[in-house]
Amino acid sequence: RGTVLLQVRVAAIGPDHLLVLAEDRTESARVEAIRRDFVVNVSHELKTPVGALSLLAETVQDAADDPVAVRRFAGRMQSEATRLSALVHEIIELSRLQVAGALQEVRVVPVGDVVGEAIDRARTTAAAKGITITAGGTQDATVYGDHNLLVTALRNLVDNAVSYSPGGTRVGVGVSIAEGAGLVEIAVVDQGIGIAPDAQDRVFERFYRVDPARSRDTGGTGLGLSIVKHIAADHGGEVTMWSEPGRGSTFTLRIPVARTSVADSDGSTDNE
Ligand code: ADP
């Protein structure tokens, strides 16, 4: 199946002997192609805010005599700079995750803590839009992993649910344990705009946005879901989605359940 890339080297090692070395370069060629694509995408994505900033700087210079205009353009420069900084931050995060061994501190992580932290950080933005976030389900599930990365993953899902939902709706974060599969499932459910069927396969791609103009308004970079996908895979899990345009979306993060209790991993004795 597919194409195999072989690098073949031939050397004469005597009057009637040839040494033939064949090396399978399929995987390294694939990784190299991904890296090249990423660099092209990154340069393209950085050009937009950098170009906007330079244009705005010129405009501010031209409008130096008009304080109202200067203030307005300075405000726009500020939001472009914020966007640029978010983009650089996410590019660094994604590059770090693409390198093997991205999990810095693996320990037993209580899922309730991850959910609490991700929701807390999204609450202000949600409240400003009139969106309520609620958490439910199993509170004492634990997984093995990197606490900070798990919070980053869940936060991306909760932030998206808030960004792509109108005011007055609800976002729910539910935790359950799929015992048979040995997985903890964290589902982020929204009642937002949903995702068209033909875009559903693509949302986990780097820099893909269903509606670039809207994503730009909400400060989106198009990298959030690729970051979530990497974090899930690095934990031996996955992220999947279900969506219906106009009704909402559900993104589910599945991470293998940790069999050890938090007390055991701390080295303290369990009296039960
Ligand atoms: P962004 O930074 O643009 O939000 P993501 O990688 O997080 O990038 O998401 C990719 C695209 O998937 C978004 O631009 C948006 O079009 C779509 N999307 C993600 N989450 C949701 C959601 N909960 N509801 C509707 N659309 C979503």
Side-chain angles (χ1 to χ4, degrees), residues 160 164 190 194-195 203 208-210 215 220-225 249 251:
N160 278 350
Y164 301 104
D190 69 50
I195 300 168
V203 290
Y208 179 81
R209 301 136 172 138
V210 178
S215 167
T221 60
L223 288 178
L225 288 178
S249 312
F251 282 81

Side-chain angles (χ1 to χ4, degrees), residues 43-201:
S43 332
H44 176 79
E45 295 290 330
L46 287 175
K47 269 185 196 153
T48 314
V50 170
L53 270 174
S54 118
L55 209 70
L56 284 163
E58 260 176 51
T59 319
V60 167
Q61 274 168 352
D62 293 345
D65 297 336
D66 179 352
V68 178
V70 167
R71 204 167 307 135
R72 196 173 76 234
F73 290 125
R76 284 179 52 191
M77 287 179 82
Q78 176 81 59
S79 45
E80 284 298 336
T82 307
R83 210 181 104 70
L84 187 59
S85 144
L87 187 59
V88 169
H89 174 81
E90 295 212 328
I91 288 169
I92 292 171
E93 182 82 41
L94 191 57
S95 322
R96 208 164 60 81
L97 287 168
Q98 283 171 345
V99 177
L103 303 193
Q104 299 290 312
E105 284 182 48
V106 178
R107 57 174 67 161
V108 176
V109 180
V111 175
D113 290 359
V114 174
V115 171
E117 221 171 292
I119 292 181
D120 273 354
R121 296 203 208 166
R123 227 183 269 285
T124 321
T125 329
K129 274 185 84 175
I131 293 174
T132 327
I133 310 181
T134 48
T138 320
Q139 289 307 304
D140 52 3
T142 50
V143 296
Y144 282 117
D146 182 316
H147 175 97
N148 292 336
L149 286 182
L150 289 168
V151 173
T152 300
L154 192 60
R155 212 189 141 195
N156 270 306
L157 297 182
V158 175
D159 283 350
N160 278 350
V162 172
S163 293
Y164 301 104
S165 294
T169 58
R170 287 175 173 278
V171 170
V173 182
V175 183
S176 58
I177 297 181
E179 270 302 342
L183 295 169
V184 176
E185 295 191 344
I186 314 172
V188 180
V189 186
D190 69 50
Q191 303 169 322
I193 60 173
I195 300 168
D198 59 339
Q200 292 183 8
D201 285 343

Side-chain angles (χ1 to χ4, degrees), residues 186-260:
I186 314 172
V188 180
V189 186
D190 69 50
Q191 303 169 322
I193 60 173
I195 300 168
D198 59 339
Q200 292 183 8
D201 285 343
R202 303 203 54 197
V203 290
F204 293 102
E205 287 173 22
R206 289 177 309 212
F207 296 117
Y208 179 81
R209 301 136 172 138
V210 178
D211 176 353
R214 182 184 172 123
S215 167
R216 205 178 140 75
D217 287 347
T218 58
T221 60
L223 288 178
L225 288 178
S226 349
I227 290 178
V228 178
K229 194 174 150 186
H230 269 281
I231 295 176
D234 286 346
H235 283 82
E238 60 169 14
V239 56
T240 56
M241 60 108 35
W242 170 92
S243 185
E244 202 178 316
R247 284 198 54 195
S249 312
T250 298
F251 282 81
T252 309
L253 197 56
R254 291 186 190 83
I255 307 286
V257 68
R259 298 286 173 203
T260 326

